[in-house]
Amino acid sequence: MNQFKLSLEYREKISYIFLVLLFFALLIGLFKLQIVEHAQLAKQSENNRIRVVTILPRRGIVTDRNGQTIIDNRPSYTVSIVYAEIVKGMTIENLSELISLDTTQIRKRIKRNMVSRYQPTPIKRDIPFEIVAILEEQYKKFPGVVYQMERVRQYNRLLGAETYTGYVGEVSEKELENIDSYELHLGSIVGKKGIEKKYDEILRGREGTKYIEITASGQLLGEYADKSKKPAEPGANITLSIDNDLQIVCTQALDTFCCGAIVAMDPRNGEILAMTSYPGYDANIFSSVIPESLWNEIRNDTTHPLLNRPLKGLYPPGSTVKFVGIGAGLEEGLITPNSKFKPCLGGYQLGNRFFRCWKPSGHGSLNAASTLEQSCDVYMYQLGLKLGIDKLSEYYRGCGFGIKTDVDLPQESFGLNPNTTYYDKRYGKRKWTIGLVLNNSIGQGELLVTPLQLARFFCGIANNGVVYKPHIVKKIKYYDQQEIIIKPEVAFTLPFSQSTMNVLYEGLTKVVQGEHGTAKRLKNKYYSVGGKTGTAENPHGENHSWFAAVAPLENPEIIVVAIVENAGHGSDVAAPLVGQIIRSYMSKKLEILTSTLESDTVKVVVSGDSL
Amino acid sequence: MTIKYASLDWKLILAAVFLTLIGIVMIMSAQHNASSEYQQNYYLRQLTWFAIAFFIFTIIIHIPPKLFDLLAYIIYGFSILLLILVLFVGTAKMGALRWFSFGPINFAPSDLAKIALLFALSRFLAYTKLPVASKRRMAISSFLVALPVMLILKQPDLGTSLVFLVMLFVLWFWSGLSPFYLLLIVSPIISLITATHWLSWSIYFVLLFILLITVKPGLLFGVVTVITNLALGAVMPFLWNGLATYQKLRILTFLDPGRDPRGAGYQIIQSKIAIGSGGFFGKGLLNGSQTRLDFLPEPHTDFIFSVLGEEFGLFGALIILFLFGFIFYRAIRIATHCRSKFSSLLVMGAAGIIMFQFIVNIGMTLGFMPVTGLPLPFVSYGGTSLVLFWSLIGFMVAAEARWQEY
């Protein structure tokens, strides 16, 4: 077996050859890393320690016409996770315990919101400072967890302004597809409703970036000076046409009722002065993750706090739209201002059906203006039959019913203005009776309006037929001080001649000022008010109570439309409620002390003997 | 017992001194930003250990290798006893039980076992009259290795066990066994690795047969080799399942470091980034961001070479390579040169230990090899290993100083 025995000389040679080969291999390895791959690995080394942090812009502030705050920002902390630095069985588990959000929820949020493995993914917003303190002290327990100071939206809850402020939330995947903006990414905050949504791009501003040096365990060492940062561009501030004082009055006026809506506008330019939907919700809860229980509570509330009543609530307008039928009759030459129909004896017989007037004892014979003053139904039935369904519907349309108001807020309903085509479709051809026109003529039946549509119509009545497009934004001020002032825009003119307008205005005046006016208790010696009551029959319960007011009559500058759901007659509930609002507005304007008014004017609650 | 200082291999000593000093500087840099003062002072502790190691070195060069020759088996037996003892009273560190703790000092008996085995093997192979490729010769020397290896695997420490096996092969080779023969012995391991794919395994078997035909080791040996190769290749999946999870993980992450960036693969990736980002001249002392910002794991022990690569670049790495190369060259020269067979094997075995740890450690930092936890000789932080390596240098210097003695 000695063929395996090697001489010493041979062994020495083999050893040297081995040594040379070994060092050659190591040299190749070193050369590969330090020369060939140097640039790439140097970059990786930079990426290792430099983290790109987005600087979130300050979202624009929203104020009322007098500069009072409606939407503000307040500082809060957001916890995020840097995916690349997660330590299995530690990061997510420890964080879950700290912020009491279960691990699957956290994983879901990482999966949904991650932009890059090396950038923080927001997990929970608006965490208390005590938790931030724990994260700071025990950062070793939370590898990959970072927190950021962020501004959270703060909504003035007292205003009850959710109907137009809306709220913000994290952008959804669906929204990302639809919104064409490279600046948005999952986890970004965008407006979800109201002004926040409509003017999102203006309010949002532009994100900036900065570079921060970190250690492997995620400890921040501060800003990295070698790379310049790009500052964020703050969002524009928006001034609304809203008057906060009036808004509060409106919201508080509904306090004692279940549900309702109020819209106050300036008929001279279409500015919305106040708008409230009752009951509302706290828009602040959307700033952080809403607990499931709270969300269910809001959603299952039978009073529908999330329903935006002024824009989306559909109600029969009741007598408030009697102006349209009378205007149409005058324009079509079917009646003159003084012509009369068969006297009202408390109802009207059509075929085998008896249509009641609201006043069982009857109104007797009335002219056009008095019909409005006393809100006689029998007069309207007879006029409606003369006009026919389609003519009446045409005039309703001319007055803006069944058409969007194009207000600068998202999500608005059309309302419903039925005509023969609609009835044919709904009931089948000729399967309905002419009796429907009787309902339509007094604002019942299928005719449905939103409070904002009705407010727009009354602006037209108050402004001699010229209807401005309702709008809520008055001024946009960009961060570079550039200003855009929104100019009023005429939407349309009511389809009535000057003489017709005069008759309608006379009727409007007499409702409050007239001897038999259904809202005569709003009459006072300090300022003149006109208006119209309305009682919308509600098949599901008590009637809805309407009132629309115009003031002052000599030169109208405010109209207020209110609906109180299931509250009874317009004159009983809505009229005094609107009276309060008008009084508050006018007293401030006339600088008369409210106390003086209190003793002189009518009592607010009156027993209902008239409409 | 006196030796002439002129007869000492000063250049060899100087190379080891340089390596140790570079190591101390790198340890200082690696722990410069550490959170505790204790860690920041690692380099001072290493400096103290260097003093101790150098003292032991000076003692060793005054002892004639003949004495180790005589006491070889006694020392071997003593170290086996310590290995058994550490299993019961040792301190666990990072999932492995391998230390004796005497207050602040941690002593790893596996380091002493390396020297003890080196003595025992050198003694046996130097005096045995058995032919180089005889079964008995191989069986006895294998048994000498197997005893400590089994004890160390129990701790468990894969890296140190491999050092022992490599030492056996180096000494077999230096006592005259053909490298081809060694290749046949390790062939079952190659069979294991190639068995991961049928094609690589087929090619390997063709090569194995060619090797067998050229070397002609005898019928019995040939048949046994082929059978073990076949058997190991076949049971490879079952063997795989027998490995501890951490061992599996290390092998897997070695094959694909990206599979678990926060596990063992994370260390390799960060090490490669550190060395690669160093470039030609490096980022400068204390300026390595990978080291300073904790991206590099165990920067003062396992990955000290990565710190050097980052802060001193290719230039610094070449200096280290040159110093090690010089030590190996010197060792081969001494082993060839000295007349005592025991001393010759002792020196070659010592060089083998240093070289294996050097290859595995640097290979690991460059991403060539799995993470085994073997420190870089002389440079990495660690008192007992510094003493061990300086002892090995001591044997080399002592052997050279008495090269004429038989």
Side-chain angles (χ1 to χ4, degrees):
Chain A
M1 282 209 167
N2 268 340
Q3 74 260 41
F4 304 118
K5 178 90 180 165
L6 294 172
S7 70
L8 188 64
E9 202 182 325
Y10 194 36
R11 277 179 267 154
E12 190 190 6
K13 262 185 200 150
I14 289 177
S15 301
Y16 284 135
I17 290 166
F18 179 76
L19 204 60
V20 169
L21 285 175
L22 167 70
F23 276 76
F24 191 66
L26 289 177
L27 276 176
I28 287 174
L30 277 172
F31 185 79
K32 180 170 163 268
L33 283 182
Q34 297 191 300
I35 307 294
V36 181
E37 294 176 4
H38 168 66
Q40 190 211 334
L41 290 170
K43 204 178 139 201
Q44 275 191 42
S45 146
E46 281 292 282
N47 289 345
N48 244 349
R49 65 174 177 141
I50 307 299
R51 182 182 292 156
V52 185
V53 177
T54 48
I55 312 171
L56 294 171
R58 180 186 63 83
R59 201 172 165 88
I61 285 167
V62 179
T63 54
D64 82 339
R65 61 193 303 124
N66 303 315
Q68 303 291 316
T69 309
I70 295 174
I71 311 174
D72 206 346
N73 299 309
R74 77 182 154 80
S76 90
Y77 291 95
T78 296
V79 184
S80 305
I81 282 184
V82 179
Y83 187 78
E85 286 160 20
I86 286 178
V87 172
K88 267 184 199 160
M90 190 170 172
T91 305
I92 292 177
E93 287 72 8
N94 288 349
L95 187 65
S96 161
E97 203 178 308
L98 186 67
I99 63 172
S100 47
L101 192 69
D102 61 76
T103 52
T104 47
Q105 198 85 6
I106 294 177
R107 289 210 174 83
K108 226 163 81 188
R109 292 184 62 78
I110 294 173
K111 208 174 153 196
R112 201 169 72 86
N113 289 349
M114 190 167 68
V115 180
S116 122
R117 291 164 51 82
Y118 301 99
Q119 270 189 43
T121 307
I123 301 299
K124 192 172 181 181
R125 291 179 201 280
D126 204 11
I127 56 159
F129 185 75
E130 298 83 72
I131 288 181
V132 175
I134 293 172
L135 285 175
E136 177 70 12
E137 279 165 16
Q138 311 177 6
Y139 69 92
K140 279 192 177 145
K141 253 180 85 184
F142 304 97
V145 174
V146 295
Y147 60 87
Q148 267 176 291
M149 223 265 296
E150 269 185 7
R151 293 179 192 87
V152 175
R153 286 307 240 187
Q154 189 164 33
Y155 302 90
N156 189 338
R157 184 78 185 97
L158 204 63
L159 293 172
E162 304 82 56
T163 166
Y164 53 86
T165 58
Y167 53 84
V168 292
E170 279 179 24
V171 69
S172 69
E173 277 167 59
K174 210 173 138 200
E175 284 171 318
L176 266 187
E177 276 173 29
N178 295 333
I179 303 172
D180 184 31
S181 171
Y182 69 96
E183 286 225 323
L184 281 184
H185 41 79
L186 285 167
S188 290
I189 293 293
V190 293
K192 293 285 188 181
K193 276 187 173 162
I195 291 290
E196 295 276 29
K197 184 187 171 111
K198 187 83 178 178
Y199 292 91
D200 187 48
E201 228 183 299
I202 291 168
L203 287 167
R204 206 193 306 139
R206 267 151 208 259
E207 284 181 353
T209 39
K210 64 180 170 185
Y211 301 90
I212 280 180
E213 195 176 20
I214 55 152
T215 67
S217 52
Q219 198 186 8
L220 301 182
L221 296 179
E223 231 165 279
Y224 186 55
D226 291 7
K227 275 187 178 174
S228 59
K229 72 172 195 181
K230 185 185 130 208
E233 210 173 272
N237 292 341
I238 289 181
T239 304
L240 299 185
S241 56
I242 296 291
D243 177 343
N244 272 3
D245 295 343
L246 191 67
Q247 176 74 32
I248 290 172
V249 170
C250 289
T251 302
Q252 286 175 350
L254 284 169
D255 239 6
T256 51
F257 302 99
C258 150
C259 330
I262 297 173
V263 179
M265 285 176 70
D266 186 337
R268 297 167 299 179
N269 47 28
E271 284 177 4
I272 295 170
L273 300 174
M275 186 155 77
T276 190
S277 182
Y278 193 84
Y281 54 91
D282 187 356
N284 293 303
I285 60 173
F286 296 96
S287 296
S288 53
V289 179
I290 316 168
E292 192 98 358
S293 57
L294 182 60
W295 179 237
N296 285 336
E297 196 183 305
I298 293 172
R299 254 204 330 209
N300 299 332
D301 192 332
T302 49
T303 61
H304 306 294
L306 289 174
L307 174 65
N308 190 344
R309 289 178 162 83
L311 270 71
K312 295 203 80 167
L314 291 174
Y315 305 93
S319 305
T320 55
V321 290
K322 280 179 178 165
F323 293 95
V324 182
I326 288 184
L330 290 167
E331 286 299 313
E332 295 297 317
L334 300 172
I335 51 166
T336 66
N338 283 314
S339 61
K340 293 170 181 178
F341 285 104
K342 281 187 206 157
C344 167
L345 300 170
Y348 183 77
Q349 188 74 37
L350 181 72
N352 56 3
R353 260 192 83 183
F354 186 70
F355 289 83
R356 291 174 193 286
C357 181
W358 67 270
K359 194 176 177 187
S361 57
H363 290 101
S365 278
L366 297 171
N367 67 8
S370 300
T371 299
L372 290 171
E373 178 189 0
Q374 301 185 34
S375 203
C376 179
D377 292 337
V378 172
Y379 182 99
M380 294 310 297
Y381 293 149
Q382 297 174 75
L383 177 57
L385 280 173
K386 283 194 164 195
L387 278 165
I389 283 179
D390 282 339
K391 204 53 153 184
L392 186 59
S393 169
E394 200 183 291
Y395 275 91
Y396 276 138
R397 192 168 181 80
C399 291
F401 297 110
I403 305 168
K404 282 190 174 181
T405 65
D406 286 332
V407 67
D408 47 351
L409 288 170
Q411 294 168 314
E412 181 191 7
S413 287
F414 279 95
L416 181 60
N417 174 15
N419 55 17
T420 50
T421 324
Y422 170 83
Y423 287 126
D424 281 345
K425 226 186 219 163
R426 167 123 194 232
Y427 299 108
K429 219 165 174 69
R430 303 252 169 82
K431 292 239 173 87
W432 46 278
T433 65
I434 194 75
L436 289 171
V437 76
L438 271 64
N439 283 334
N440 289 354
S441 64
I442 60 161
Q444 307 286 1
E446 270 92 347
L447 183 68
L448 295 171
V449 303
T450 67
L452 187 63
Q453 280 176 333
L454 199 62
R456 176 174 67 168
F457 170 68
F458 275 91
C459 281
I461 296 287
N463 201 38
N464 204 21
V466 181
V467 180
Y468 282 95
K469 194 167 102 177
H471 68 96
I472 196 161
V473 170
K474 223 172 141 59
K475 197 170 78 182
I476 296 167
K477 191 173 182 183
Y478 289 93
Y479 84 109
D480 58 1
Q481 304 304 313
Q482 188 199 334
E483 272 188 6
I484 292 177
I485 292 165
I486 311 293
K487 288 196 185 80
E489 228 179 283
V490 176
F492 58 90
T493 310
L494 296 180
F496 305 129
S497 64
Q498 187 58 53
S499 59
T500 305
M501 280 307 302
N502 290 345
V503 175
L504 298 181
Y505 204 69
E506 191 195 336
L508 179 94
T509 308
K510 284 171 91 175
V511 169
V512 175
Q513 308 296 332
E515 206 182 321
H516 304 289
T518 52
K520 64 183 179 198
R521 58 180 71 82
L522 294 191
K523 190 177 169 183
N524 66 80
K525 60 180 179 185
Y526 300 101
Y527 54 84
S528 52
V529 191
K532 184 75 196 79
T533 52
T535 305
E537 280 168 22
N538 174 15
H540 308 294
E542 275 289 314
N543 293 338
H544 299 318
S545 179
W546 279 107
F547 191 72
V550 175
L553 284 169
E554 313 78 58
N555 186 19
E557 55 184 68
I558 182 172
I559 70 104
V560 178
V561 168
I563 181 166
V564 185
E565 288 177 24
N566 312 320
H569 284 198
S571 56
D572 298 345
V573 183
L577 186 143
V578 171
Q580 261 184 302
I581 295 164
I582 296 278
R583 187 177 61 196
S584 157
Y585 178 86
M586 292 306 288
S587 65
K588 189 174 153 196
K589 181 175 169 61
L590 299 170
E591 290 178 287
I592 299 169
L593 288 172
T594 321
S595 56
T596 332
L597 270 170
E598 206 93 90
S599 57
D600 283 18
T601 45
V602 285
K603 285 268 177 292
V604 169
V605 183
V606 200
S607 66
D609 61 348
S610 61
L611 183 74
Chain B
M1 290 274 242
T2 52
I3 47 163
K4 287 183 209 133
Y5 286 95
S7 68
L8 295 182
D9 191 343
W10 286 107
K11 284 177 186 163
L12 176 62
I13 297 167
L14 221 55
V17 167
F18 274 136
L19 279 175
T20 313
L21 290 178
I22 289 171
I24 288 165
V25 173
M26 291 335 292
I27 289 162
M28 192 262 293
S29 173
Q31 294 296 341
H32 187 68
N33 279 58
S35 48
S36 72
E37 206 175 320
Y38 179 78
Q39 280 169 298
Q40 285 174 14
N41 288 337
Y42 272 167
Y43 75 100
L44 291 176
R45 289 161 62 82
Q46 183 77 343
L47 198 62
T48 315
W49 272 110
F50 180 34
I52 296 167
F54 200 81
F55 176 68
I56 292 172
F57 162 80
T58 45
I59 292 174
I60 286 172
I61 58 172
H62 284 91
I63 301 170
K66 193 80 208 152
L67 192 65
F68 297 127
D69 193 351
L70 290 169
L71 296 173
Y73 293 133
I74 296 164
I75 296 170
Y76 178 79
F78 177 67
S79 86
I80 294 293
L81 276 178
L82 280 183
L83 281 178
I84 295 166
L85 204 62
V86 81
L87 289 176
F88 299 103
V89 294
T91 312
K93 193 177 167 189
M94 286 172 277
L97 193 68
R98 41 181 108 149
W99 306 82
F100 281 123
S101 286
F102 303 110
I105 298 164
N106 289 320
F107 166 70
S110 57
D111 281 332
L112 180 70
K114 282 175 194 163
I115 292 178
L117 180 66
L118 182 58
F119 288 161
L121 275 178
S122 302
R123 160 118 193 189
F124 171 70
L125 292 172
Y127 296 103
T128 181
K129 294 283 186 282
L130 294 163
V132 277
S134 81
K135 269 157 261 149
R136 259 194 82 190
R137 188 174 187 268
M138 285 186 183
I140 293 167
S141 44
S142 295
F143 174 77
L144 286 174
V145 176
L147 208 55
V149 162
M150 263 152 47
L151 289 167
I152 287 165
L153 273 174
K154 242 186 147 92
Q155 288 181 9
D157 186 345
L158 199 60
T160 310
S161 310
L162 284 172
V163 174
F164 285 32
L165 279 177
V166 167
M167 199 199 302
L168 177 67
F169 286 173
V170 168
L171 292 182
W172 272 349
F173 161 70
W174 198 245
S175 61
L177 196 64
S178 157
F180 292 120
Y181 206 98
L182 287 170
L183 212 59
L184 285 178
I185 292 167
V186 296
S187 67
I189 295 164
I190 305 170
S191 170
L192 260 185
I193 296 161
T194 51
T196 49
H197 196 274
W198 65 269
L199 187 66
S200 56
W201 204 40
S202 320
I203 294 169
Y204 163 70
F205 257 82
V206 174
L207 292 173
L208 182 71
F209 276 115
I210 295 171
L211 193 65
L212 277 171
I213 291 159
T214 2
V215 177
K216 292 193 191 74
L219 190 63
L220 186 64
F221 188 91
V223 171
V224 169
T225 307
V226 172
I227 288 170
T228 41
N229 269 283
L230 276 169
L232 273 178
V235 299
M236 151 46 195
F238 305 101
L239 268 176
W240 172 248
N241 290 333
L243 284 177
T245 317
Y246 89 99
Q247 290 168 327
K248 271 192 212 172
L249 216 64
R250 273 180 180 177
I251 295 170
L252 279 178
T253 39
F254 164 65
L255 295 172
D256 178 15
R259 59 180 281 130
D260 177 19
R262 273 276 154 181
Y266 173 82
Q267 302 184 333
I268 295 181
I269 289 169
Q270 294 299 351
S271 167
K272 283 170 82 170
I273 291 174
I275 295 172
S277 63
F280 194 83
F281 284 111
K283 298 175 183 172
L285 187 64
L286 302 180
N287 271 334
S289 63
Q290 288 287 106
T291 311
R292 188 163 58 89
L293 304 175
D294 298 337
F295 287 100
L296 207 58
E298 305 286 326
H300 61 298
T301 55
D302 293 3
F303 289 94
I304 191 97
F305 186 73
S306 316
V307 178
L308 183 111
E310 182 178 29
E311 299 193 338
F312 292 105
L314 184 61
F315 179 74
L318 284 177
I319 290 176
I320 294 278
L321 288 196
F322 171 78
L323 291 172
F324 273 107
F326 183 76
I327 290 174
F328 301 144
Y329 157 75
R330 257 349 225 215
I332 295 167
R333 236 189 59 163
I334 294 166
T336 318
H337 183 56
C338 69
R339 289 176 182 166
S340 154
K341 216 173 167 202
F342 174 81
S343 293
S344 173
L345 284 164
L346 185 66
V347 168
M348 207 54 194
I353 294 170
I354 297 172
M355 193 186 296
F356 179 69
Q357 294 214 17
F358 161 80
I359 295 168
V360 170
N361 182 278
I362 292 190
M364 168 185 79
T365 61
L366 296 178
F368 290 171
M369 290 190 183
V371 178
T372 43
L374 282 179
L376 185 62
F378 304 105
V379 187
S380 286
Y381 175 77
T384 38
S385 79
L386 195 63
V387 171
L388 165 76
F389 293 118
W390 270 100
S391 307
L392 298 179
I393 294 291
F395 301 143
M396 293 178 191
V397 174
E400 171 66 3
R402 298 176 175 81
W403 68 273
Q404 302 105 321
E405 295 173 17
Y406 282 96

